Amino acid sequence: LSCSDFNSFRFLIKGGLAGAAVYVAYDQGLLGSGTQGAEALKKAQETLPPAIQEWTNYLGWELPPTPKFDFSLSDSWNKGVHTVMSALSVAPTRACEYTMEGWKYVKDLVK
């Protein structure tokens, strides 16, 4: 095998893993609506720790306890939407204020 063959093989493996990751994300609902994403995240939070614990017990490894997060994806999304909409609603007023301040600054420089 030449170096280019190895690089091609490595590219195929990486592409396959990326494709599999996208498929799993789509299949589990992570690429769907906000509600589907929140449900998929909750399902993953319930499923992954026991699976990881089972593998570490099988391999004889000891991992530190996982931190607990009190995080609501839908609340964060809603807060972000409110923040953006609030910024957009005051944008014309702020733009006018900043323009007036800019003109005043330029006039003071010209004097």
Side-chain angles (χ1 to χ4, degrees):
L1 287 174
S2 69
C3 189
S4 64
D5 291 337
F6 180 70
N7 287 335
S8 298
F9 183 67
R10 200 168 72 181
F11 175 77
L12 288 174
I13 290 174
K14 287 181 179 180
L17 290 173
V22 170
Y23 173 76
V24 168
Y26 175 77
D27 187 52
Q28 295 300 316
L30 291 174
L31 302 177
S33 67
T35 305
Q36 289 174 328
E39 289 174 6
L41 181 62
K42 183 178 177 183
K43 186 171 139 182
Q45 288 174 335
E46 293 171 353
T47 305
L48 284 177
I52 291 171
Q53 185 64 42
E54 182 178 332
W55 274 98
T56 56
N57 289 343
Y58 177 75
L59 296 172
W61 295 345
E62 187 174 335
L63 296 176
T66 57
K68 302 292 182 198
F69 295 106
D70 186 23
F71 176 75
S72 171
L73 189 61
S74 61
D75 288 344
S76 297
W77 173 262
N78 290 340
K79 184 177 179 183
V81 169
H82 285 290
T83 303
V84 168
M85 290 301 131
S86 174
L88 289 175
S89 70
V90 298
T93 305
R94 296 298 165 117
C96 182
E97 290 173 4
Y98 294 148
T99 303
M100 297 293 283
E101 288 176 15
W103 277 112
K104 183 179 180 232
Y105 178 75
V106 170
K107 284 180 184 178
D108 290 344
L109 285 178
V110 173
K111 286 184 181 179

